[in-house]
Amino acid sequence: MLAFLLNRRAAGGCCRVWCGVPRQLVHIRSASVAEAGTRRPDEEQLWEAAGYLPFSRAKIGAFFQERPVLKNPFLEDALLRGYLKRHMPDKAAVSDLRAFGERVANEVDGWGRECEVTAPRLVHFDPWGRRVDHIVTSPAWKRMKDLSAQEGLVASGYEGTFWEWSRVYQMSKLYLFSPSSGLYTCPLAMTDGAAKVIQSIGASWPVKEALGRLTTRQPERFWTSGQWMTERQGGSDVGHGTETVAVPQTDGSFKLHGFKWFTSATDADMTLTLARVQDGTGATTPGSRGLSLFYAEVSRDEDGRLKGIEVQRLKDKLGTRQMPTAELLLDGLPAHRLSEEGRGVASIANMLTITRIHNSVSAAAAMRRVVQLARDYATRRTAFGKLLKDHPLHIQTLARMEVETRGAFLLVMDVCRLLGREECGIATQLDTHLLRLLTPVVKLYTAKQAVAVVSEGLESFGGQGYIEDTGLPGLLRDAQVLSIWEGTTNVLSLDVLRCVARSSGMVLHAYFSHVKSLLAGASGVSSLAPAVKAVDGALSELEVFVRGAATKAPGYMELAARDLAYSLARIYTGALLIDHACWIEASPSDTYAALRWCENDLCPVATKQARGCFDSGTPPLDAALVFDRPTQD
Ligand code: MFK
């Protein structure tokens, strides 16, 4: 046997230790070497002396799987670059994004990892027993704050440098930043939302200074804001779940008393929150109509205690562990009312719009990141004798992820485009309607896509995708929250129905007109014909459904709400992919992505309707299925 092996080695012209040695045999033999205290046959001693034995003594083997490498996420993203080239070919913006992409890959991504590894902790008391409620965050988390100011991650949305494209530019930057940010995008979302609320209400005292701080590029002045809305009775039904009361003070300010159950990121410098103003007898108005919007700064007294706040505990979350989220007792928090009394929900709605768009940017970014890493890994990992990139089934899976990612990106950017137009005062009525309708749609749809794509992405790394310190599982954990906070899928689906009803259907009218105009631009493009036909057909089905729905009972539409929202997302995204593929500089891959997307069921609400899913007989069947119990013997 030995002679055989040595001959094989010689025949292979061995230049490295393992050349020409049959791998299987080597592994088997090395296993026997590892048995402590056993006498090895001469043959094996000979092998070891020659340096051929793996896993012997201190050696742990010669093969190490190469890790996926994060390259400049801007340079790696064909669609982002194509989209910007088409819509805002501003050299300054592009060179800033390219430089930022370099910074993200080489510097920021490491900080993000540090934020994950060094999670925030709460110190309740100082060494001498005084209550301090100090949330200790990592140095990397603090660096993220400075970076966010310097790079204008909030400011660029307000500076107007790129006029109607300022939001697209800002969100492109956040899109590059998000998966490396250690979840710093969360405080930035709320900071942006707070700035928007203050700006729309009118930035006079006491929030004028705050607006300047939220939108500055100077790290030493920069503030982040919280959005403390969620109380113990739940986060969705804010109107009935909010117990916090606001007690009027003689100087016109208020003191807030209540319990906020989920506050992110709790190291904020200020917050916007909702509370019920008490009258002279201590009574309050119930429901949404009793809620007002308040502004409060987070500050400490001379003893180092938080003024009017006790941090009960940090939340133990599935993901987003990089970021402090806390339960807060508000015990006399000094605050100022920003809205008219009873107009709290309507006044904070601007913040919801902004944070929901940020949420969608993070969702698209998570998909893009996992696809970029999986793509890189496919060029490094060998299995069954060839690189993953040479396995067509593996590449088919990555291509499907890519189609989802492209669709999400275009949908998100289109909503950012609409926001930019509205903020520049050039939005048409159609734009305004579209923005209102598509904000909940993009949030709910991209969040679900992100969970699916990131989960698939982890699988493409095999077992390594499940190993914590690769950093990959964190992507999935963090994606899971995207469909929960800032309005769950069902709550946002109902928001879609509400905005349709409140606009007397005008938002849908705008939707149909715009999709038709996008399709019209592709009418002569034969390569896109199947996609155009599919979107056109789905749009007709949707129109039929909507017309019929006008005659249905409210319960019918409630059951259809989620499928309706998905239909709106899929059809609109199909139209955007087609439109992008019509661009003169579009690539064959842009066309292919549009075709593939349009093979989906684009109008699930019509499909499900045809199957009777919303009929009055269905809810009892659903309930019987959900609560099905074994029959008693
Ligand atoms: C990376 C990104 C990170 C993001 C950070 C997140 C961290 C924070 C964690 C959180 O989750 S914070 C809590 C998030 N909570 C929510 O998103 C609440 C979810 N629930 C809803 O959205 C409900 O639909 C809502 C609370 C708004 C329902 O309340 P109401 O009082 O029943 O609302 P109603 O009566 O429909 O509307 C009241 C007013 O607000 C109306 O104005 P008018 O009185 O002038 O007619 C509505 O038009 C307006 N409104 C409501 N929703 C709106 C809106 N306006 C514009 N857009 C909307 N979405």
Side-chain angles (χ1 to χ4, degrees), residues 501-576:
R502 288 219 166 106
S503 70
S504 307
M506 291 310 288
V507 292
L508 283 179
H509 188 67
Y511 175 92
F512 286 117
S513 306
H514 192 57
V515 172
K516 280 175 189 161
S517 76
L518 290 172
L519 292 184
S523 58
V525 187
S526 59
S527 59
L528 286 165
V532 173
K533 188 167 174 238
V535 175
D536 202 32
L539 196 66
S540 302
E541 286 180 338
L542 185 63
E543 265 180 313
V544 170
F545 172 84
V546 166
R547 273 204 212 97
T551 62
K552 306 279 187 199
Y556 188 92
M557 284 311 288
E558 196 174 315
L559 272 186
R562 190 189 264 245
D563 292 315
L564 173 65
Y566 280 28
S567 306
L568 291 167
R570 288 189 194 158
I571 292 171
Y572 197 87
T573 301
L576 290 174

Side-chain angles (χ1 to χ4, degrees), residues 178 183 185-187 189-190 227 229-230 235-239 262 264 288 323 343 345-347 349-350 352-353 355-356 358-359 362 436 440 482 484-488 491-492 495 498 502:
S178 176
L183 248 286
T185 40
C186 174
M190 291 179 289
Q227 171 203 15
M229 282 177 69
T230 306
S236 297
D237 187 3
V238 174
F262 191 96
S264 302
S288 264
M323 176 184 64
R343 296 292 296 159
V345 172
S347 302
N350 266 324
L352 296 179
T353 299
T355 51
R356 286 169 185 174
H358 275 257
N359 202 88
S362 289
R436 176 66 184 94
L482 296 169
I484 297 174
W485 66 14
E486 294 305 326
T488 60
V491 165
L492 292 176
D495 188 48
R498 250 196 327 253
R502 288 219 166 106

Side-chain angles (χ1 to χ4, degrees), residues 403 528 531 574 577-578 581 589-599:
V403 170
L528 286 165
L577 283 159
I578 289 168
S589 293
D590 292 323
T591 301
Y592 184 69
L595 292 168
R596 284 286 183 233
W597 178 274
C598 295
E599 288 163 3

Side-chain angles (χ1 to χ4, degrees), residues 447-466:
K448 288 293 194 199
Q449 284 178 296
V451 175
V453 169
V454 174
S455 173
E456 188 71 80
L458 258 55
E459 195 177 327
S460 73
F461 295 95
Q464 286 298 96
Y466 202 65

